[in-house]
Amino acid sequence: MLTLYYAPHTISLATHILLEEVGADYATVRIDFGKTEQRSPKYLEINPKGRMPALVADRGILTETPAMLVYVAQSFPKANLALIDDPFAFAQVQAFNAYLCSHLHVAHAHRMRGYRWVDADDAHSIAAMQRKVPESVGESFALIEREMLKGPWVMGERYTICDPYLFTLAQWLELDGVDPARIPKVVDHRRRMSERATVKKAIAEELA
Amino acid sequence: MLTLYYAPHTISLATHILLEEVGADYATVRIDFGKTEQRSPKYLEINPKGRMPALVADRGILTETPAMLVYVAQSFPKANLALIDDPFAFAQVQAFNAYLCSHLHVAHAHRMRGYRWVDADDAHSIAAMQRKVPESVGESFALIEREMLKGPWVMGERYTICDPYLFTLAQWLELDGVDPARIPKVVDHRRRMSERATVKKAIAEELA
């Protein structure tokens, strides 16, 4: 049994979708960012980083989306969604997801979470970071469009753990000020993802 | 045969050390940041991101340190340095490395690469980011010290791919303005890593 701690409109959706894709038996616990529950002593016991998401498994608690996605895929090997038995293909899957967590998601975070990298009361720098987001997130999506997204899925014909992860980040691109017309493959991928029953179910639960 | 594209004083050292640890047959190509070779058309053909490192394998080119570390470990299964056959242990390894690439390394990058997230000519914001680095990198190392580094190695008794990765980032903590006295376990880990023949050899080659 797996329990996903999630918050709506966060990266937890990627793992939530994957749990649906593999048909996992799982529960969810919603964390309310409006009440800063991610910083509550109770949640910090689950995840001392105070971030979303966390996945409680039989043997302990896991964090970090790239790790959680592989863990879920490896726990449901029949679906083979991480291509883990092919070291080179798996490395490509991992490289894509590492790019999302260390570049794209980080660029995005400078819009709402600039206080991580400058003093929170430095309005000039906070605003400067926000102004750069359309360019930095846009360039990151442009690189994905040009060099990484093989189509129809990220890794080509095979649907993998890269797909729900990209989809989740792509939900925010308009809010980040990125022009969707510049990245038609990413937007088409997002549309096809949004039509999957698994995606619809995970989103419906999070927004209920 | 593997070929590692590296630059001294960058995160490529982590993979370089691992190649030594597993006894891989590998070659290296040095990229000169002083000449901005990482942005040269020739290197951009290898890695369109223009970043370090890249690993050329028989089947193609890999990037992103967390992916490369697992690929090397999976290619030399005897050493079992990623604990990949134990899904939960592997997820812990991966979660640690994902934290390094998406939090610690990102915090560090705000000291020298602030132009990624604000306009390069915005001296106020560039300086504001630099001033925050001792705190943001320091908090990240403090969390590693308190919650993650089991000792003697990151994952406990087993040396894994987490160790060269943490070691490489820990080399920069004084330059980042972090007080080593606050994180004795991290500093002790760094010292023990620096005494390994594999680490000495990789560093000597990079600095030759």
Side-chain angles (χ1 to χ4, degrees), chain B residues 108-203:
Chain B
H108 160 79
H110 284 72
R111 179 162 62 82
M112 304 275 285
R113 318 267 182 225
Y115 54 81
R116 291 177 184 164
W117 302 292
V118 298
D119 285 336
D121 59 3
D122 180 351
H124 172 98
S125 301
I126 295 278
M129 289 177 169
Q130 289 171 338
R131 274 197 308 277
K132 187 81 168 179
V133 165
E135 179 186 332
S136 59
V137 172
E139 281 179 5
S140 200
F141 272 118
L143 192 73
I144 290 168
E145 172 94 8
R146 198 173 67 238
E147 304 283 350
M148 302 182 200
L149 175 52
K150 296 177 186 168
W153 305 114
V154 172
M155 286 295 135
E157 296 299 323
R158 292 287 295 270
Y159 182 94
T160 69
I161 56 174
C162 300
D163 294 298
Y165 202 177
L166 175 62
F167 169 75
T168 300
L169 285 157
Q171 295 219 293
W172 309 327
L173 65 88
E174 285 90 351
L175 288 170
D176 283 344
V178 176
D179 178 5
R182 282 182 59 202
I183 46 173
K185 284 165 65 183
V186 169
V187 172
D188 181 58
H189 177 270
R190 184 176 67 176
R191 182 187 55 74
R192 284 179 290 103
M193 283 294 296
S194 71
E195 290 166 355
R196 292 173 80 88
T198 50
V199 174
K200 285 181 184 171
K201 187 164 172 228
I203 290 178

Side-chain angles (χ1 to χ4, degrees), chain A residues 51 59 74 84 86 103, chain B residues 51 59 74 84 86 103:
Chain A
R51 301 270 185 98
R59 285 173 58 192
Q74 205 174 5
I84 197 167
D86 177 338
H103 293 71
Chain B
R51 301 270 185 99
R59 285 173 60 191
Q74 204 175 6
I84 198 166
D86 177 339
H103 293 71

Side-chain angles (χ1 to χ4, degrees), chain A residues 16-24 79 81 159 164 193 196 198-199:
Chain A
H16 201 160
I17 292 169
L18 185 64
L19 290 166
E20 285 294 326
E21 298 278 0
V22 298
L81 294 183
Y159 181 94
M193 282 295 295
R196 292 172 79 88
T198 51
V199 174

Side-chain angles (χ1 to χ4, degrees), chain B residues 2-25:
Chain B
L2 298 165
T3 301
L4 177 69
Y5 284 74
Y6 79 96
H9 311 294
T10 73
I11 202 65
S12 53
L13 179 63
T15 306
H16 201 161
I17 292 169
L18 185 64
L19 289 166
E20 285 294 326
E21 298 279 359
V22 298
D25 178 23

Side-chain angles (χ1 to χ4, degrees), chain A residues 145-208:
Chain A
E145 172 94 8
R146 199 174 66 237
E147 304 282 351
M148 302 182 198
L149 175 51
K150 295 176 186 169
W153 306 114
V154 172
M155 286 295 135
E157 295 300 323
R158 293 288 295 273
Y159 181 94
T160 68
I161 55 173
C162 300
D163 294 298
Y165 201 178
L166 175 62
F167 169 75
T168 300
L169 286 157
Q171 293 219 295
W172 308 328
L173 65 89
E174 285 89 352
L175 289 170
D176 284 342
V178 176
D179 178 5
R182 282 182 57 201
I183 45 173
K185 284 164 65 183
V186 170
V187 172
D188 181 58
H189 176 270
R190 183 176 68 175
R191 183 188 53 75
R192 284 180 290 104
M193 282 295 295
S194 71
E195 289 166 356
R196 292 172 79 88
T198 51
V199 174
K200 285 181 182 168
K201 188 162 172 230
I203 290 178
E205 184 178 348
E206 296 209 352
L207 301 185

Side-chain angles (χ1 to χ4, degrees), chain B residues 59-136:
Chain B
R59 285 173 60 191
I61 296 163
L62 296 172
T63 57
E64 304 296 336
T65 295
M68 290 164 57
L69 292 175
V70 170
Y71 177 74
V72 172
Q74 204 175 6
S75 300
F76 295 86
K78 246 195 231 166
N80 193 24
L81 293 183
L83 313 178
I84 198 166
D85 296 326
D86 177 339
F88 188 78
F90 181 46
Q92 290 183 306
V93 165
Q94 294 248 90
F96 185 82
N97 286 357
Y99 182 75
L100 296 190
C101 86
S102 65
H103 293 71
L104 176 53
H105 197 168
V106 166
H108 160 79
H110 284 72
R111 179 162 62 82
M112 304 275 285
R113 318 267 182 225
Y115 54 81
R116 291 177 184 164
W117 302 292
V118 298
D119 285 336
D121 59 3
D122 180 351
H124 172 98
S125 301
I126 295 278
M129 289 177 169
Q130 289 171 338
R131 274 197 308 277
K132 187 81 168 179
V133 165
E135 179 186 332
S136 59

Side-chain angles (χ1 to χ4, degrees), chain A residues 49-206:
Chain A
K49 298 170 196 163
R51 301 270 185 98
M52 285 304 117
L55 188 68
V56 182
D58 292 340
R59 285 173 58 192
I61 297 163
L62 295 172
T63 57
E64 305 295 338
T65 294
M68 291 163 58
L69 292 175
V70 170
Y71 178 74
V72 172
Q74 205 174 5
S75 300
F76 294 86
K78 244 195 234 168
N80 193 22
L81 294 183
L83 312 179
I84 197 167
D85 296 326
D86 177 338
F88 188 79
F90 181 46
Q92 290 184 305
V93 166
Q94 294 249 92
F96 185 82
N97 286 358
Y99 183 74
L100 295 190
C101 85
S102 64
H103 293 71
L104 177 53
H105 197 168
V106 167
H108 161 78
H110 284 73
R111 179 162 62 84
M112 303 276 284
R113 318 269 183 222
Y115 55 79
R116 291 176 183 166
W117 302 291
V118 297
D119 285 337
D121 59 2
D122 180 351
H124 172 98
S125 301
I126 295 278
M129 288 176 169
Q130 289 171 338
R131 274 197 309 276
K132 187 81 168 180
V133 165
E135 180 186 331
S136 59
V137 172
E139 282 179 4
S140 199
F141 271 118
L143 191 73
I144 289 168
E145 172 94 8
R146 199 174 66 237
E147 304 282 351
M148 302 182 198
L149 175 51
K150 295 176 186 169
W153 306 114
V154 172
M155 286 295 135
E157 295 300 323
R158 293 288 295 273
Y159 181 94
T160 68
I161 55 173
C162 300
D163 294 298
Y165 201 178
L166 175 62
F167 169 75
T168 300
L169 286 157
Q171 293 219 295
W172 308 328
L173 65 89
E174 285 89 352
L175 289 170
D176 284 342
V178 176
D179 178 5
R182 282 182 57 201
I183 45 173
K185 284 164 65 183
V186 170
V187 172
D188 181 58
H189 176 270
R190 183 176 68 175
R191 183 188 53 75
R192 284 180 290 104
M193 282 295 295
S194 71
E195 289 166 356
R196 292 172 79 88
T198 51
V199 174
K200 285 181 182 168
K201 188 162 172 230
I203 290 178
E205 184 178 348
E206 296 209 352

